[in-house]
Amino acid sequence: MGKMVFYNTKHQRLMIAIDWLSWSGYLIGEGLNSLPELECPNGYRLELHEGNNIFKYRAILYDSFGQKVITMLWCPKSPMMQYNLITFQVSNMWFYGLDPIKDVCDLAAQCFMYQFGCLSRLDICCDFELNRKRRNIVIGLYKHNIICGGKREASLFESSIDGNMFPKDFNFGSIQSAIRWKLYNKSLELKVDTDNYGKPYIVDRWAENGMNIRKIWRLEVSIKEFGKIMIDDMKTGNKKYMTLDDLDDTTIYCLFCDLYHKRFVLLKHKHTRRSNDERVYLIELESHKIINRKPDSESQRLDNSVMWHLIKVCESDNCKTNIRTLQASGEALFWFVKYNNLDGYFEQLKGCGVSEWVENLIKDNGEGIIDYLPTTRV
């Protein structure tokens, strides 16, 4: 389970796989602001390092061959973040290997005692060969003869064959989007025409599937706000939020197919009324229905309204003149945004994350943060 999927027909060869996976959780036990009790799984090596600008501590798990498996970060530096928060990220090569992804993720639970929180980011990619039809679609996208909804960015490279400029990548959607698409020349990125090309574990899978490794393009979807997406449980049919248990190959394949048909809509633009535009397909995939949007739009509007109210409270003069009141109001806003998965909407409104916004507001008013600790949460 959780392996790449080869989807081959008479006219195409595709490889669908996870390409990025990160999730968060909450440490359980004492000493969470320092070094909690760690255990290294048998046959692996666990190294401790300094953290980054967000977390104080970092640990990296390696296999017996010295290959990085999982990076773990914990103990947030900001008092606006939950004190026992921990994040995990799986190294890229494990999505193209032999071990099931779920087994790799389970290694994290052997290192730390923690409670799963939510998926933070999941990228699913589909690699395909660029034939004449797809090449025309790529050119059409660049020339706006073919359109895709949302913001679009593109860049060019000079072809070594004929010296002409040709598109090399497209980005669809903004950085704040809950779902963002990228279409790009993967063979060019990995420099497969050189002796020292990158990520041979991916190139080997292409060759294994009988694909021309010099003509591979990738369509990739990045999912970031899982509080806005629900899926059908493959066993019970009930709606649910995604967890690590849903990273099997069937669910990942069906999820990509559903997103592709619903959210990556290419239209041949006829420069007339939009209703006359004809849909074109970059790749041919089965139609699977697995996604269910978070229900109750009225509830969503209410959440947005409450968030706006909390922002106005933080920005009010009465709040800003009392540092303790500002800190308490900022914390209330932070947890409301996090609990209701409104990070993307907040960033669209304010241009930065809620934690950064609240900290800057506190620093610009009163005496700044003084001897402040967040309330205890599990």
Side-chain angles (χ1 to χ4, degrees):
M1 68 189 294
K3 304 311 298 173
M4 70 209 101
V5 175
F6 294 142
Y7 181 71
N8 301 326
T9 66
K10 181 179 179 180
H11 303 289
Q12 66 177 4
R13 293 180 179 273
L14 307 177
M15 185 178 79
I16 299 175
I18 298 173
D19 194 67
W20 181 289
L21 173 64
S22 58
W23 72 95
S24 62
Y26 305 99
L27 289 170
I28 300 171
E30 302 296 329
L32 301 181
N33 288 322
S34 57
L35 287 175
E37 184 176 347
L38 303 174
E39 259 188 61
C40 183
N42 291 333
Y44 293 83
R45 185 177 84 253
L46 190 63
E47 290 186 359
L48 297 177
H49 301 267
E50 290 186 5
N52 54 19
N53 59 332
I54 300 177
F55 292 90
K56 292 182 181 179
Y57 304 108
R58 174 173 54 185
I60 302 177
L61 184 68
Y62 296 89
D63 68 4
S64 58
F65 298 100
Q67 302 287 348
K68 185 188 295 186
V69 183
I70 302 177
T71 299
M72 298 159 274
L73 291 158
W74 73 96
C75 193
K77 295 179 180 179
S78 170
M80 303 310 301
M81 299 177 69
Q82 192 156 336
Y83 75 100
N84 60 343
L85 179 67
I86 184 170
T87 66
F88 305 87
Q89 180 186 333
V90 177
S91 183
N92 183 259
M93 69 174 295
W94 295 92
F95 304 125
Y96 303 92
L98 300 176
D99 297 320
I101 297 303
K102 182 61 169 59
D103 291 353
V104 176
C105 297
D106 287 344
L107 292 171
Q110 299 181 43
C111 299
F112 289 90
M113 290 184 59
Y114 83 99
Q115 175 185 341
F116 175 80
C118 65
L119 297 178
S120 305
R121 176 180 164 186
L122 173 67
D123 291 2
I124 309 174
C125 62
C126 178
D127 296 341
F128 58 90
E129 296 167 293
L130 190 71
N131 55 26
R132 179 177 297 180
K133 174 188 173 183
R134 292 167 180 159
R135 180 184 176 90
N136 290 336
I137 292 176
V138 168
I139 295 174
L141 277 169
Y142 184 74
K143 293 183 176 181
H144 295 280
N145 295 326
I146 295 176
I147 58 176
C148 184
K151 181 181 178 182
R152 192 218 71 168
E153 298 175 354
S155 56
L156 295 167
F157 81 101
E158 184 175 344
S159 172
S160 59
I161 299 176
D162 52 20
N164 293 324
M165 302 301 291
F166 188 77
K168 69 174 182 179
D169 59 55
F170 299 86
N171 289 287
F172 303 96
S174 66
I175 297 177
Q176 292 83 18
S177 300
I179 297 175
R180 194 178 189 218
W181 293 88
K182 184 175 182 180
L183 173 64
Y184 60 106
N185 188 333
K186 192 65 177 179
S187 294
L188 179 68
E189 182 193 65
L190 298 184
K191 301 178 180 178
V192 296
D193 287 329
T194 65
D195 294 332
N196 298 317
Y197 55 81
K199 299 184 178 180
Y201 51 86
I202 295 180
V203 178
D204 290 345
R205 300 290 84 79
W206 294 343
E208 178 184 332
N209 195 34
M211 303 166 73
N212 187 335
I213 66 172
R214 290 175 172 78
K215 294 184 178 181
I216 303 299
W217 274 61
R218 170 170 288 189
L219 178 62
E220 183 175 280
V221 60
S222 183
I223 312 167
K224 293 182 179 179
E225 294 186 24
F226 286 87
K228 295 182 179 179
I229 297 176
M230 301 186 77
I231 65 170
D232 291 329
D233 190 306
M234 302 296 285
K235 297 180 180 179
T236 65
N238 297 327
K239 297 179 178 62
K240 57 170 289 187
Y241 293 105
M242 285 192 70
T243 68
L244 296 176
D245 293 327
D246 300 307
L247 300 178
D248 60 277
D249 50 5
T250 301
T251 301
I252 293 301
Y253 171 73
C254 292
L255 178 59
F256 185 86
C257 290
D258 201 2
L259 287 170
Y260 172 75
H261 283 285
K262 291 179 180 177
R263 303 296 293 271
F264 191 74
V265 179
L266 302 181
L267 298 174
K268 186 179 294 184
H269 193 28
K270 298 180 180 179
H271 304 284
T272 56
R273 295 183 60 183
R274 179 66 59 87
S275 59
N276 294 325
D277 292 343
E278 175 189 351
R279 182 169 184 178
V280 295
Y281 293 89
L282 183 69
I283 52 179
E284 299 296 327
L285 284 175
E286 299 172 312
S287 179
H288 289 277
K289 185 179 182 300
I290 187 174
I291 301 172
N292 278 283
R293 299 290 292 177
K294 188 176 180 179
D296 195 355
S297 58
E298 183 63 34
S299 176
Q300 184 68 48
R301 285 193 292 270
L302 180 61
D303 288 347
N304 295 344
S305 176
V306 172
M307 186 185 76
W308 263 111
H309 173 73
L310 291 173
I311 290 174
K312 291 183 178 296
V313 169
C314 291
E315 293 177 333
S316 68
D317 292 337
N318 290 337
C319 184
K320 290 191 290 187
T321 54
N322 186 317
I323 192 64
R324 295 293 183 183
T325 302
L326 181 56
Q327 290 166 343
S329 300
E331 185 187 17
L333 172 62
F334 175 84
W335 290 117
F336 184 84
V337 170
K338 292 298 180 184
Y339 181 79
N340 292 284
N341 299 292
L342 297 171
D343 299 81
Y345 183 48
F346 187 93
E347 289 182 11
Q348 283 182 303
L349 294 175
K350 294 299 181 180
C352 63
V354 61
S355 177
E356 180 183 353
W357 184 84
V358 171
E359 286 185 346
N360 289 335
L361 189 66
I362 292 175
K363 290 176 183 177
D364 293 339
N365 295 275
E367 299 176 5
I369 299 176
I370 49 176
D371 300 324
Y372 174 68
L373 291 175
T375 55
T376 303
R377 285 180 172 81
V378 176

